[in-house]
Amino acid sequence: MSKPSLLKNLPFLLTPPLLWAGNVIVARAVRNDIPPFTLSFGRWVISLLILLPFAWAAMRRDKALYFQHKKMVAATALTGIAAFNTLVYAGLHTTTSTNALLLNSCIPVLIMLIGAVFYGQRLNRFQTAGLLLSLSGVLVVVLQGSMDNLVALRFHSGDLWVFAAAVCWAFYTLWMKRIPAEINRTGLTAVQIMLGLLVLLPLWWWEQAGGAAVNWNLRSLAGFAYVGIFPSVVAYLCYTAAIARLGAVGAGLSIYLMPVFGTLLAVTLLGESLQTYHVVGIAAIFGGIMLSNRK
């Protein structure tokens, strides 16, 4: 079977970073209304309720396979479900959306480094060139086309939480590729969410016992609805499909699009202006993704 073309897989590459960029913006917007563990726990409860009717048959059919690969299923649930978003939400209480998007853009590099160090993976020349080209595009967007802005960047304590989340996502991406393709991905995602909720439950209880509470209003309700549906169910299924079709590195490069979509969302929703450096950066990122997926 020939390798699927990049064009056919664009929906699987473009959807996750778009929805995850929105996740960062929404989480930052509701940080004063929803505590981080509560947001993460509520997000996955909503996602599981939506996904379960579609996943139940596959879960029953693949039950033996889950036990056969229980270590990898548990590891991906811990890193991709329980840890990643919880760490991002915690970090966004003390850092900015821009810093969070910048740190998330390190994920493709982390996937490359971890894959090389722990799993002996090698990048071909197209993947290496694409990685560097996409990274340069991210820097153009983040630095607004001027190296002078590199000095002006300020990092906060929350950046450590977000960077730890990026490391977790890199491992999640590499480990997802090691789970056999015969395991239905919709059912697998539901199982991972269930395992992740078991980890998040005591953290949510601890947060509630400490007096943290949700400020219920239209913004918090909309925040729960968004994070529970789009960056959770839709984005995860698309990202899983991208890993299966294009590999961990190819799918991971789509993370570079998060600051691009974050910029476009800011232009669309917040009325910010689109600058020349935005266009240059977006073009470089897209070029890098296309280059890295050449045969």
Side-chain angles (χ1 to χ4, degrees), residues 179-197:
I179 295 179
E182 60 263 27
I183 297 181
N184 179 273
R185 268 22 191 184
T186 303
L188 175 63
T189 301
V191 170
Q192 290 169 329
I193 292 174
M194 294 172 69
L195 293 174
L197 284 172

Side-chain angles (χ1 to χ4, degrees), residues 94-95 99-100 102-103 150 152-160:
T94 53
T95 192
N99 281 29
L102 170 62
L103 289 167
L150 182 62
L153 283 177
R154 294 293 182 267
F155 289 91
H156 311 276
S157 59
D159 296 327
L160 295 176

